[in-house]
Amino acid sequence: MSLTRPENIFTLKVARLLFYLLLLSPNLGSAKLIIGMVGKTKNDSFYVQSYKGCLKFAESHPEVTCRYDGPDDYQDIRTQALIINDMVKSGIDGLLVATTDSDFLVNRALKELNEKNIPVITFDSDLNPKDSRYRLAYVGTNNFDFGVALGNQVKVLIDTKSKNICIQSGHQTAPNLNERIAGIRFALSGQSKKRLSGENGWHEFSRCPLYSLGKREDSLEQVKSLVKMAETPAIIAVAGFAQFNSKYIEFMSPYKEKLGSKELIFISADTEEVQLKALNKGLSSSNIGQNPFEMGRLSAQLMYEVLVNNKKPAKEFYFLDFHYCQPNNTKTCTMNHFWY
């Protein structure tokens, strides 16, 4: 059959055109990669910032898609596992996850990912050491050191006549929050295994630690009950909790003078926008913040290297810095990344 016939010439032209389009298109021929990202809760701005970090990495790697989810309103270990399982069913190439309950997460989700050879990197909250084989690396704050920083902050602020504290946490099994509690106790007493009961003069209020599961209403109610006491212990929140509640500023406003005189002390982890607004108004004593945006960006970068280049993370732990915010430096102490 002669190639000079009109229909054959037309076929060659179409083939050449498709070939050139393939060469010119940066996405054609590139494998699409879906990175699942699951926080302890979906609607906290902390985890939204982590998601923004993943999206930032994906900007320069258009073959990457970041798929974000998590329990809607509080730290629900069952919902977190179900969401991950649904992601696996819909198709993901790798998972970034902040651990709420290590045992539950491993048994209800991560073992299946391991069997399917879907790599996992933890961020913000790592698995317990005994479960570390189910993830490649951890990216986030050194949570014990972060707790030590929170404890040292209360030492600077508290009236030495009264060394009573109350620690507020989220889920009782959250590895990162328990490490922070241990760090606080170590900073104040030199030991991290048990509640403070007089070591170096420090005591924990009998009802504490308080656990809110990250529920904003419950967190604020816990703070209200403490603040209304005749002698309020210094409150140390190991995450944002009550300060994420939109009613926090309204409730704390009548106590601004007590906060200013250090008669009332409220120290909190995290420096999200809503928290800095309260701090700027003098409605928090001090906030120590993390870098959730970089947690998401670096986790995505490490996962990309695993998926594309079969290059495992060079380290097991990628610890990020934290920063200190006071009422007089809220405009300069940190940068929150909601848009870029």
Side-chain angles (χ1 to χ4, degrees):
M1 182 169 57
S2 174
L3 291 177
T4 59
R5 292 177 60 181
E7 61 266 32
N8 293 327
I9 293 173
F10 176 78
T11 301
L12 282 173
K13 286 182 177 180
V14 171
R16 286 171 181 162
L17 177 60
L18 290 174
F19 177 74
Y20 288 126
L21 286 174
L22 182 64
L23 291 178
L24 292 172
S25 174
N27 293 325
L28 290 174
S30 297
K32 295 292 184 181
L33 299 174
I34 299 176
I35 298 177
M37 188 170 208
V38 178
K40 293 183 190 176
T41 51
K42 182 178 181 179
N43 59 358
D44 278 352
S45 58
F46 183 96
Y47 293 113
V48 173
Q49 283 203 74
S50 298
Y51 174 48
K52 296 285 187 182
C54 186
L55 292 177
K56 183 63 176 178
F57 176 80
E59 277 187 355
S60 56
H61 298 83
E63 69 274 27
V64 172
T65 296
C66 299
R67 182 177 295 168
Y68 174 67
D69 209 339
D72 285 335
D73 297 314
Y74 69 99
Q75 297 169 10
D76 184 344
I77 61 176
R78 290 170 179 79
T79 300
Q80 186 180 53
L82 287 172
I83 285 170
I84 293 170
N85 291 331
D86 286 343
M87 279 188 170
V88 172
K89 290 176 184 177
S90 64
I92 57 172
D93 297 288
L95 176 70
L96 312 178
V97 60
T99 306
T100 300
D101 184 299
S102 186
D103 288 342
F104 194 90
L105 186 63
V106 166
N107 289 314
R108 298 299 180 93
L110 298 192
K111 283 184 177 179
E112 181 179 352
L113 270 75
N114 185 260
E115 292 172 0
K116 293 179 180 296
N117 292 317
I118 298 174
V120 175
I121 291 175
T122 53
F123 73 99
D124 177 49
S125 182
D126 198 6
L127 297 173
N128 289 330
K130 68 181 180 62
D131 297 323
S132 62
R133 66 185 180 277
Y134 292 103
R135 59 94 172 113
L136 296 177
Y138 164 74
V139 179
T141 304
N142 181 320
N143 287 292
F144 183 85
D145 288 353
F146 192 56
V148 170
L150 290 166
N152 286 335
Q153 195 68 17
V154 78
K155 286 196 290 187
V156 171
L157 294 171
I158 201 167
D159 182 346
T160 55
K161 296 177 183 177
S162 176
K163 291 185 176 182
N164 298 317
I165 69 166
C166 179
I167 298 171
Q168 185 184 48
S169 189
H171 201 287
Q172 287 182 313
T173 62
N176 65 329
L177 304 184
N178 287 336
E179 288 177 20
R180 293 175 194 179
I181 292 172
I184 291 169
R185 290 170 174 165
F186 182 81
L188 300 179
S189 71
Q191 63 82 33
S192 60
K193 302 297 183 184
K194 59 182 182 179
R195 298 175 74 258
L196 304 179
S197 57
E199 299 89 342
N200 295 334
W202 294 96
H203 294 84
E204 288 183 56
F205 181 53
S206 58
R207 290 168 49 201
C208 302
L210 300 175
Y211 295 96
S212 67
L213 300 181
K215 296 180 179 180
R216 297 177 185 185
E217 290 299 322
D218 291 356
S219 299
L220 187 56
E221 287 301 318
Q222 290 173 348
V223 170
K224 286 180 179 179
S225 66
L226 291 170
V227 168
K228 292 177 180 179
M229 291 173 57
E231 293 185 13
T232 302
I235 304 168
I236 310 174
V238 295
F241 305 134
Q243 292 187 341
F244 289 154
N245 191 311
S246 60
K247 299 176 183 177
Y248 173 83
I249 288 178
E250 178 184 356
F251 169 73
M252 291 296 284
S253 292
Y255 300 96
K256 180 175 181 178
E257 187 175 336
K258 285 188 174 182
L259 283 160
S261 67
K262 300 180 183 178
E263 183 180 349
L264 172 62
I265 294 173
F266 193 134
I267 298 167
S268 180
D270 299 332
T271 51
E272 299 300 291
E273 293 288 353
V274 66
Q275 294 177 281
L276 293 180
K277 183 178 180 181
L279 185 61
N280 187 56
K281 291 177 178 289
L283 302 178
S284 180
S285 303
S286 177
N287 286 65
I288 303 179
Q290 305 174 79
N291 290 285
F293 182 88
E294 180 60 12
M295 289 183 196
R297 192 208 64 78
L298 180 55
S299 296
Q301 177 183 323
L302 293 172
M303 183 60 73
Y304 178 85
E305 290 294 331
V306 173
L307 297 173
V308 174
N309 299 318
N310 196 29
K311 181 181 178 182
K312 292 184 178 181
K315 301 185 294 184
E316 182 178 5
F317 302 103
Y318 289 79
F319 292 135
L320 304 178
D321 293 337
F322 44 86
H323 49 268
Y324 296 80
C325 292
Q326 313 294 343
N328 62 356
N329 73 343
T330 57
K331 303 297 183 184
T332 58
C333 63
T334 187
M335 171 72 73
N336 285 312
H337 298 270
F338 295 106
W339 307 105
Y340 48 83

